[in-house]
Amino acid sequence: MPEAGMVRVESSGAVLLKLKIHPGAKRSAVNGTFGDAVKIDLQSPPVDGKANAALIKFLAGILGISKNAVELKSGECSRDKVVRISGKTPDEIIALLNI
């Protein structure tokens, strides 16, 4: 079960998800949790926003939603990020990420 604060719901119904990113990994994968964040390994290097673009594509693919439904809210230049996800409930996101 995810820790409190890892997943929050906005008044609009969109879900905010805290992430801890490990860019430059051997493969892209959800790697459990790290404190109050979901740990994600990304194969893409942290250069010129490539890891951010790879993160959005990776999450959209796992969640079965369009890339437009995943928005980076904070942490553009940090390993600690918050993404806004539209079109899925918190329970669906938790189940699909297997956290």
Side-chain angles (χ1 to χ4, degrees):
M1 187 68 175
E3 286 194 28
M6 184 181 299
V7 179
R8 296 188 323 258
V9 180
E10 292 183 323
S11 59
S12 67
V15 177
L16 297 176
L17 183 64
K18 286 176 113 177
L19 305 173
K20 180 75 168 182
I21 306 302
H22 174 227
K26 288 185 179 183
R27 64 182 181 90
S28 294
V30 177
N31 198 4
T33 59
F34 186 84
D36 67 345
V38 178
K39 185 174 182 200
I40 296 183
D41 296 335
L42 283 178
Q43 194 171 14
S44 181
V47 179
D48 297 329
K50 289 182 182 178
N52 290 335
L55 171 64
I56 289 170
K57 182 178 179 181
F58 177 73
L59 285 174
I62 286 181
L63 299 174
I65 55 179
S66 73
K67 291 188 288 184
N68 292 337
V70 181
E71 175 188 358
L72 184 61
K73 290 294 287 180
S74 67
E76 186 173 328
C77 296
S78 171
R79 290 178 182 223
D80 298 314
K81 301 183 184 299
V82 175
V83 292
R84 182 178 187 268
I85 300 168
S86 302
K88 293 287 181 184
T89 66
D91 290 339
E92 290 172 323
I93 292 169
I94 289 166
L96 290 167
L97 295 179
N98 198 26
I99 54 173

